[in-house]
Amino acid sequence: MTSGTVQSDLLAVARREFVEHGYGGASIRSIAQKTGVSLSAMYYHYASKQELLAAMLNVGMDSFEQRVVDEFQAKDPTPTGRLLGYVASLVRFRTLEQEQSQLVQTETRNLEPASLSAYRERQRQSSEPLRQALADGVASGEFRTPFPEDSYRSILGMCNAIAHWYEPGGDLLVEEIVHRYQELALRVVYHRDVASPETDPGT
Amino acid sequence: MTSGTVQSDLLAVARREFVEHGYGGASIRSIAQKTGVSLSAMYYHYASKQELLAAMLNVGMDSFEQRVVDEFQAKDPTPTGRLLGYVASLVRFRTLEQEQSQLVQTETRNLEPASLSAYRERQRQSSEPLRQALADGVASGEFRTPFPEDSYRSILGMCNAIAHWYEPGGDLLVEEIVHRYQELALRVVYHRDVASPETDPGT
Amino acid sequence: MTSGTVQSDLLAVARREFVEHGYGGASIRSIAQKTGVSLSAMYYHYASKQELLAAMLNVGMDSFEQRVVDEFQAKDPTPTGRLLGYVASLVRFRTLEQEQSQLVQTETRNLEPASLSAYRERQRQSSEPLRQALADGVASGEFRTPFPEDSYRSILGMCNAIAHWYEPGGDLLVEEIVHRYQELALRVVYHRDVASPETDPGT
Amino acid sequence: MTSGTVQSDLLAVARREFVEHGYGGASIRSIAQKTGVSLSAMYYHYASKQELLAAMLNVGMDSFEQRVVDEFQAKDPTPTGRLLGYVASLVRFRTLEQEQSQLVQTETRNLEPASLSAYRERQRQSSEPLRQALADGVASGEFRTPFPEDSYRSILGMCNAIAHWYEPGGDLLVEEIVHRYQELALRVVYHRDVASPETDPGT
DNA sequence: CATGAATGAGATTTCATTCAT
DNA sequence: AATGAATGAAATCTCATTCAT
């Protein structure tokens, strides 16, 4: 029922339109048209513009969550390991799913209360691993940041920004970016082994 | 030029509406109404929604530029000093002019080509001091970051994010935030004196 | 394509409004209203005022072309015969489809370039039979006008003017007008048999 | 009071706008702007769009009347002479004052009743000389047209049309056009001396 | 004479959505 | 499962005009 290709095509086109014009500025009509589907057909699959938005945001969230889960299975369970894993997931999401990424950051405000609360909860849960890793690292002494909350926010902030400047065809490979932001993250949490910049913590 | 009261009132209301609903979702009608001005009176001052947006973004830019200039006059001219000064300007802008700040990040995409290019140029110029400070610091050996471009972007990214979580009435004072992000910035550029987290570089 | 009833009703009302107020002065709103159709229903059928105009002009052209074709089938193929036939078609069009007629003359200027060029070409083609008849008549010696181009334009000009003074309920029968303008046309082309005004060339 | 240059500039620009977009489609704002006059200044000179139109049409009428008067002073007072003179006046008006000419034909319908009746009276009067010449010519036997009214209308129609195709910079001299239409007019009235096309009635 | 500011109505067009088929 | 037609509200913007200064 939700496995057809029409839905995903619609979502893809809608994503593009929302990113380009914003939710308010995007037209349901041109989404249908660009997808090559009649307006009524589109309404058959998504009962409203709002539903389209909610579906899109949730698909994005699914995708990000999957990345985090993948990264955390059978990997280094130490706080540092989890921090690096989370950063890797996040960087890959911001680069490999750039549009999805921008959308999630910008259009959440347009969710109606009904969907919004559920979505906020998912957001909170998806950032929990990072929050937890930071707490654990501080507790264990691996991270010596004097303001963990700001370190946390800074890591999110700097990774999120990637979606705004990254260019898919550019000469900077995704994994190189992963590596760099992992290093920067270690510095932002005052990792005890990055006492001096000469030390390379490895990936 | 922007000293009239009708114009600035309109801008203030429009800012709020744009932040809340996005450019596309905001209604020129309700902007006029909430400002207490007739629709046509509004059009007398701003010939289009687009012009309103451009004016707003430029006012925001004026404001930020002023902060940077203020911070750079008769202050520590070393790369480190300039880095810290820039971060201070940016953090204050993101907190004290939060709406302006969010707008600048989100709605630039809605500028039409004509105004966009001019605006992009202003953006470039306004970030030049930070870029320059980083380059100089790397050259002088004060900053030891192995990827200056990413350090630069990370600083902007983490500071920009502040506008999204900062709450004006909260218990975190602006100057405390300034201080913290200055420290984090020093770590992100691999400042030579922050070899170990115990060392506090001071503000 | 133009067989629906809503479309043709809209065209009829629009025609009347355009003739009365001019394209620029006519209101799309009152066209819809007078047709008894909602504004949006109207937009479903004609996507813009411009499209409405183009459709109308083309319908007018269709109608005139049909008249010319009808007149030329199985009729006198001599230059004189064709001249008289064309004049008959034109006079009937100007009288029997007076509104259409006035519109075509006045509102072509409001066509946007896209539709304009196509329309001009149709105009050219529809006047080709007259032009050709004149050329042939001059070549054969039937017409002795020393300036064929001006004779051609004059015939069009004097026939076109009919739409401006003709009154449908008046005491002048259409076929009487046809007859008179055929005679006048013969004089305008210097027909060899109208050497003296006493000679009646017949219809 | 009516001798300033602002008024005539306004009229000239307005004429152009009216010809291009029609009365309803023309904007009083852009007329003022293109004239380089403030909107309020324009309202000082012409109290309404309607007044502007009336002024323009009357100026056009003045101009045409003057031409007719000039042509009739100390010229051949025979019906034929008057016919030729009138045609000359009309052709020169349609070519040398082309815009004026087109306007007069198209935009009269937009005059409000108040000005309209006066204007129609002027129109009637200005065509009186031609009507009279025709009547006299028919009475004297110089013109043998069997339907004087149609000859009259045809002459007007074919001369009026000139404004639509004449190109100021073209290779057809105005006086040559005058000559040709005079000849054609003679044929349209069945002038007794144009019994055969070989006969050139002269100018 | 002239201006800057404002008005209120109305312009055309597009919106998300619905419904009978 | 899908379509063509329609709706009514709202969108942005422009109109001719007025008025206090």
Side-chain angles (χ1 to χ4, degrees), chain A residues 28-30 32 37-44:
Chain A
I28 221 121
R29 250 183 167 76
S30 56
V37 162
S38 86
L39 194 55
S40 330
M42 160 155 181
Y43 265 90
Y44 177 79

Side-chain angles (χ1 to χ4, degrees), chain B residues 24-79:
Chain B
S27 153
I28 218 106
R29 221 178 246 186
S30 62
I31 291 173
Q33 188 172 304
K34 288 182 184 174
T35 313
V37 160
S38 88
L39 202 48
S40 353
M42 154 151 186
Y43 268 91
Y44 180 79
H45 295 289
Y46 295 101
S48 67
K49 197 185 186 183
Q50 181 65 207
E51 197 167 286
L52 201 52
L53 174 63
M56 256 167 51
L57 292 179
N58 278 311
V59 164
M61 194 55 100
D62 289 344
S63 174
F64 177 60
E65 274 175 359
Q66 192 54 49
R67 286 186 184 280
V68 174
V69 166
D70 288 355
E71 196 69 27
F72 273 61
Q73 276 176 345
K75 293 280 170 67
D76 179 358
T78 65

Side-chain angles (χ1 to χ4, degrees), chain A residues 19 109 150 180 187 195, chain B residues 19 107 109 150 180 187 195:
Chain A
V19 166
R109 67 175 157 189
D150 295 280
R180 293 184 183 179
R187 296 197 61 86
Chain B
V19 166
E107 305 302 343
R109 68 176 155 186
D150 295 277
R180 293 182 183 179
R187 295 198 63 83

Side-chain angles (χ1 to χ4, degrees), chain A residues 147 150, chain B residues 91 171-181:
Chain A
F147 12 81
D150 295 280
Chain B
V91 172
D171 48 329
L172 203 46
L173 296 179
V174 170
E175 290 309 312
E176 172 61 16
I177 305 179
V178 168
H179 165 66
R180 293 182 183 179
Y181 278 76

